[in-house]
Amino acid sequence: MPAFICVTCGTQFSPSETEPPRCPICDEERQFVPPSGQAWTTHEALARRHSNTFTQHEPGLIGIGTVPTFAIAQRALLLKTEKGNVLWDCISLLDDATVAIVKGLGGLIGIAISHPHYYSSMVEWARAFDAPIHLHAGDRQWVMRPDPAIKFWEGDTLTLAPGVTLICCGGHFAGGTVLHWAQGGQGRGALLSGDIVQVIPDKKFVSFMRSYPNLIPLSAPSVERIGRMLAPYPFDVIHGAWFDRTIARDGKQVVERSIARYLKAVRGDGSAELI
Ligand SMILES: [Zn+2]
Ligand SMILES: [Zn+2]
């Protein structure tokens, strides 16, 4: 039986004889079903028309993305740690070349994913590399392909390896998670931020939203919480969700400045818009 994949969000569902009736992730206010309607593909069909490409963002961090792009078009990050490689976020396509390359790099000791939009084909990846998937329990309801490889964690932080810490910030999703890599950014610290701290075209700022495609803002307390959760962690570099979304320096100040701007916008009197 095929494990169908939603064409809009890239999420793979449990194997079924027929296409699932709907995609709960797209059929929700943070995503969307396109005007052409819900559409499905399979891993086999995807592999016929797409392949994966690899980019080293910095020593120890390789981006893996699909070309031509598919669904939300995020790329995963292969992070080298003292204990072995961790895959941060995930993508729908895992082809034979990607399996061979990742195995050649030492395989995976674990997969961690920022939020449900990037759960994608996580079970295919977990099985190929015999690796557990670390998801925050706050987003348990959004798993469309349950599997014994999925390990739900609770609370504010989870250490995956020395200097590699998952931090639950919430915001975009209740279990919205970022990864702090203490040795990243050439030792200055790096944040792997998914959609939770969104790297935007103006690299002097980041942003925070409940929905990016549908432009639904977060509340001020949610954004303040993100600031509180990140406060203890030094970082200079921020690696966002796409190949071109990296902030190369002053990441900590960028986040602090962006939180202040956001809070001023949602609490302000409108005078900022008159400029
Ligand atoms: Zn979907
Ligand atoms: Zn998202």
Side-chain angles (χ1 to χ4, degrees):
M1 282 194 292
F4 286 99
I5 296 172
C6 171
V7 168
T8 307
C9 72
T11 303
Q12 188 182 49
F13 285 56
S14 294
S16 56
E17 293 283 3
T18 58
E19 295 175 349
R22 54 188 275 272
C23 172
I25 293 175
C26 287
D27 199 10
E28 194 257 351
E29 69 173 9
R30 279 167 284 197
Q31 256 284 116
F32 58 93
V33 177
S36 53
Q38 178 68 51
W40 302 95
T41 187
T42 63
H43 201 247
E44 294 68 30
L46 196 59
R48 281 198 292 273
R49 299 184 200 97
H50 300 262
S51 58
N52 287 337
T53 184
F54 297 76
T55 296
Q56 180 162 292
H57 290 281
E58 58 173 288
L61 191 71
I62 293 174
I64 310 173
T66 299
V67 287
T69 58
F70 174 70
I72 301 175
Q74 80 277 8
R75 57 100 180 81
L77 288 164
L78 184 84
L79 169 62
K80 187 177 176 187
T81 80
E82 283 177 30
K83 302 275 188 189
N85 298 319
V86 169
L87 189 77
W88 169 247
D89 279 335
C90 200
I91 57 176
S92 301
L93 177 61
L94 177 62
D95 58 10
D96 292 344
T98 305
V99 172
I101 291 168
V102 172
K103 283 189 174 169
L105 291 167
L108 299 178
I109 59 160
I111 299 167
I113 304 181
S114 59
H115 72 294
H117 290 151
Y118 300 154
Y119 287 177
S120 59
S121 294
M122 59 182 175
V123 173
E124 300 281 347
W125 288 74
R127 290 182 180 178
F129 303 106
D130 194 20
I133 305 166
H134 303 286
L135 304 182
H136 196 277
D139 293 332
R140 185 189 293 262
Q141 72 184 103
W142 301 108
V143 171
M144 297 297 134
R145 188 178 182 184
D147 191 87
I150 298 171
K151 312 293 181 197
F152 291 105
W153 63 280
E154 298 182 2
D156 291 342
T157 62
L158 178 71
T159 301
L160 293 182
V164 178
T165 309
L166 300 182
I167 307 163
C168 181
C169 291
H172 182 46
F173 270 81
T177 296
V178 298
L179 185 151
H180 181 255
W181 179 26
Q183 296 90 348
Q186 274 84 40
R188 306 188 310 276
L191 195 69
L192 280 49
S193 67
D195 285 356
I196 309 308
V197 173
Q198 188 73 269
V199 177
I200 53 179
D202 176 2
K203 302 292 178 70
K204 298 188 293 299
F205 288 89
V206 291
S207 197
F208 321 89
M209 296 200 95
R210 175 166 170 79
S211 171
Y212 296 96
N214 302 325
L215 304 175
I216 308 171
L218 282 173
S219 66
S222 289
V223 173
E224 284 179 314
R225 175 166 183 252
I226 294 172
R228 280 199 307 277
M229 296 309 300
L230 295 179
Y233 298 92
F235 55 89
D236 200 42
V237 175
I238 305 174
H239 295 287
W242 292 273
F243 277 121
D244 60 346
R245 298 294 179 93
T246 287
I247 292 174
R249 59 186 61 82
D250 300 329
K252 188 80 174 177
Q253 294 93 310
V254 166
V255 169
E256 290 171 354
R257 179 192 303 149
S258 302
I259 291 173
R261 181 173 80 166
Y262 190 99
L263 295 175
K264 188 177 174 190
V266 296
R267 287 174 171 157
D269 59 5
S271 57
E273 284 90 62
L274 298 175
I275 298 168

